Structures are given as structure tokens and as C-alpha cells.
Amino acid sequence: MAERTAATKLLIKPGATVWISNSEHARLVAPLPEGATWTDTLPGASVALLFADSERALRSLLRLLGLALGDNAFAFGTGLRKPRVGFALH
């Protein structure tokens, strides 16, 4: 069985178009599955990855983007020893 990458753990599928709130964190997700690409525009993305240092920062980012956690969204927190938490919204 092939090793699961961060991208597959975040349910990023082959052919997905991925937007990330802070491009400095792309290295944490790469490599993307075959055919998946990065995009600079949120409206064209099939997957949005938001990175925030806290729940408050996440809510501010969501407000800034005009987004809200919907029924099909999930949040994924990572790094109990690190102050940075990543959230993924699908």
C-alpha cells in the first residue's frame, strides 16, 4: 500500500484545484495528487486550505473571505506541540 501523503489525508483528490490561504504552508501539503493543481483564486477552487494560529484567527479569516463553516465543511487541527493549526474546508 502506498504511503498516504498530507494531501490525501486532507481528502484532496486527483484533478482537484487547491487554493491555500498562505502559500508558505504549501510545502506542508505537497505533493498534490496526480492532476491536482494550485490556484490563486478561491472562487475557482474545489478545495480551500485555510491556515490560522487560533480559532479566533480562523474566524477572522473566514469573515474576511466571506465564508462560514457549512454542512459539507470539516476542520482539521494539527500539531499539539506546535502553535500553528491548519484547517481544511471542502
Side-chain angles (χ1 to χ4, degrees):
M1 177 178 236
E3 183 179 335
R4 290 183 50 162
T5 65
T8 57
K9 290 177 184 177
L10 289 169
L11 304 179
I12 299 172
K13 304 292 184 198
T17 305
V18 183
W19 176 85
I20 192 164
S21 64
N22 184 337
S23 62
E24 292 179 15
H25 298 303
R27 63 183 168 68
L28 301 173
V29 180
L32 293 177
E34 184 177 336
T37 57
W38 296 104
T39 182
D40 292 333
T41 59
L42 181 57
S46 58
V47 176
L49 300 175
L50 306 177
F51 285 83
D53 292 331
S54 66
E55 181 182 346
R56 182 178 181 184
L58 174 64
R59 291 189 184 281
S60 291
L61 181 57
L62 289 171
R63 220 175 3 262
L64 177 69
L65 296 171
L67 301 173
L69 291 174
D71 293 339
N72 294 324
F74 72 90
F76 172 78
T78 183
L80 296 176
R81 296 182 185 179
K82 298 177 184 177
R84 186 155 291 138
V85 178
F87 293 88
L89 302 176
H90 284 254

